[in-house]
């Protein structure tokens, strides 16, 4: 570093001479400490602070890049410098996730507002147009579908109203009755909520003579309109069976249907 002489008045009125290495020929100890600090940082504390605040990283980097090009280095060679690969940046994944979550929630909010505007005010498009587009995408038929969106059973169970069960609190057995009259049934069971089995309730039905597995299999044959309407409109209750719809039930073997040879029992409803 070249020698740099600085002269200035000291406390006694004499001049102190300092060279570029920071040595003083005179001056108070406080002045010497200040000068030593200036030498270590390269500038005075005031200039050091303002220099940090005014530092233009982009400008400095561009100057280095221009000097590198002037020395014959290509742009690709400058990009491939090891120093750029060794630089590490402190990336906060938490902040990135929160930012993504913020934009996602904002998108959902805007979508809900848009759907509300369409359903309530038919703006910016008519609600029927939206429904036709939804059925076209989902492959449904608006002439037969009851609901635009089917809710899972779990959602129904979570949000259904509580059921009052106090009427069966003291029930210890279920009565089985025969030949009960309409008046007796109304007085004893109809409005009490007490469970009862009417043993001869199907005594005059003709259904047991006609209804069978083979009857329903023929009625709801694969590809029939009856089966398509049932799967589109009606609910299917598998209870504790592995069946997912009525088509699977009617596709089982006759031995399983009649629970022959120790076949697994089944019970469904629709």
């Amino acid at each position: 570093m070249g020698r740099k002489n600085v002269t200035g008045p000291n406390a006694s009125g004499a001049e102190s001479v300092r060279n570029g290495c920071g040595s003083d020929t005179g001056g108070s100890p406080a002045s010497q400490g200040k000068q030593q600090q200036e030498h270590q940082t390269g500038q005075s504390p005031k200039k050091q602070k303002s220099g940090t605040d005014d530092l233009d990283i982009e400008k400095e980097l561009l100057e280095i890049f221009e000097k590198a090009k002037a020395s014959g280095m290509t742009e690709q060679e400058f990009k491939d410098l090891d120093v750029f690969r060794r630089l590490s940046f402190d990336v906060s994944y938490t902040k990135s996730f929160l930012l993504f979550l913020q934009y996602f929630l904002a998108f959902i909010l805007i979508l809900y507002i848009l759907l509300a505007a369409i359903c309530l005010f038919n703006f910016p498009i008519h609600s029927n147009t939206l429904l036709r587009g939804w059925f076209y995408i989902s492959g449904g038929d608006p002439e037969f579908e009851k609901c635009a969106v089917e809710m899972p059973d779990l959602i129904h169970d979570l949000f259904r109203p509580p059921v009052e069960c106090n009427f069966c609190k003291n029930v210890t057995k279920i009565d089985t009755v025969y030949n009960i009259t309409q008046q007796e049934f109304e007085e004893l069971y109809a409005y009490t909520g007490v469970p009862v089995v009417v043993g001869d309730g199907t005594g005059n039905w003709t259904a047991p003579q006609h209804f069978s597995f083979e009857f329903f299999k023929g009625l709801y044959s694969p590809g029939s309109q009856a089966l398509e309407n049932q799967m589109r409109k009606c609910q299917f209750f598998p209870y504790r069976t592995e069946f997912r719809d009525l088509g699977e039930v009617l596709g089982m073997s006759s031995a399983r249907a009649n629970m022959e040879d120790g076949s697994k029992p089944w019970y469904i409803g629709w």
Side-chain angles (χ1 to χ4, degrees):
M1 185 174 180
R3 296 175 60 87
K4 179 180 180 181
N5 295 332
V6 180
T7 61
N10 57 19
S12 61
E15 291 184 348
S16 63
V17 180
R18 180 172 66 86
N19 59 22
C21 297
S23 62
D24 288 336
T25 58
S28 65
S31 177
Q32 293 178 2
K34 180 179 179 181
Q35 293 169 355
Q36 184 177 2
Q37 182 183 3
E38 292 176 1
H39 168 67
Q40 291 175 350
T41 60
Q43 53 186 336
S44 65
K46 182 178 180 181
K47 291 184 178 180
Q48 180 183 2
K49 184 177 184 303
S50 62
T52 303
D53 295 340
D54 298 338
L55 181 61
D56 190 342
I57 300 296
E58 183 177 354
K59 180 179 179 181
E60 296 289 339
L61 187 59
L62 287 175
E63 290 180 357
I64 295 174
F65 176 62
E66 293 299 332
K67 290 180 181 179
K69 289 195 343 182
S71 65
M73 181 180 292
T74 64
E75 293 184 6
Q76 189 60 42
E77 290 174 343
F78 186 80
K79 293 179 181 178
D80 295 338
L81 288 175
D82 292 337
V83 66
F84 292 111
R85 288 193 291 267
R86 290 198 304 268
L87 289 175
S88 61
F89 299 93
D90 183 16
V91 179
S92 175
Y93 293 99
T94 303
K95 291 183 179 179
S96 300
F97 173 75
L98 292 177
L99 183 62
F100 167 78
L101 184 61
Q102 179 181 354
Y103 282 111
F104 177 75
L105 294 177
F107 171 76
I108 296 297
L109 178 61
I110 294 174
L111 183 62
Y112 270 105
I113 294 175
L114 181 61
L115 289 176
I118 294 174
C119 295
L120 297 176
F121 307 107
N122 292 320
F123 176 83
I125 61 174
H126 200 279
S127 57
N128 290 337
T129 303
L130 179 64
L131 285 176
R132 284 195 295 269
W134 169 254
F135 282 120
Y136 176 79
I137 295 174
S138 61
D141 189 346
E143 298 295 331
F144 297 99
E145 294 287 352
K146 287 184 177 181
C147 302
V149 179
E150 292 290 341
M151 301 299 293
D153 293 337
L154 178 61
I155 303 299
H156 286 291
D157 294 337
L158 287 176
F159 294 100
R160 71 177 182 178
V163 178
E164 180 60 51
C165 297
N166 289 332
F167 62 86
C168 59
K169 183 177 181 180
N170 298 320
V171 175
T172 57
K173 66 176 184 177
I174 299 177
D175 296 335
T176 301
V177 297
Y178 297 89
N179 296 321
I180 189 172
T181 64
Q182 180 177 348
Q183 182 179 357
E184 291 174 337
F185 180 81
E186 290 181 356
E187 293 177 354
L188 299 175
Y189 302 105
Y191 306 106
T192 61
V194 177
V196 62
V197 175
V198 181
D200 55 353
T202 60
N204 59 346
W205 285 12
T206 58
Q209 304 172 13
H210 301 282
F211 288 176
S212 65
F213 177 78
E214 297 298 330
F215 172 82
F216 287 109
K217 187 174 182 179
L219 181 63
Y220 295 98
S221 59
S224 65
Q225 189 66 36
L227 182 60
E228 291 183 4
N229 289 338
Q230 189 280 327
M231 297 182 68
R232 182 184 298 113
K233 291 183 178 182
C234 300
Q235 292 178 310
F236 174 73
F237 303 99
Y239 297 104
R240 295 186 178 181
T241 63
E242 72 278 12
F243 303 115
R244 294 176 297 180
D245 53 53
L246 186 60
E248 285 191 1
V249 175
L250 300 177
M252 72 171 110
S253 64
S254 297
R256 172 73 191 283
N258 297 316
M259 292 183 283
E260 299 174 354
D261 300 329
S263 298
K264 183 179 178 180
W266 59 275
Y267 177 75
I268 63 164
W270 73 90

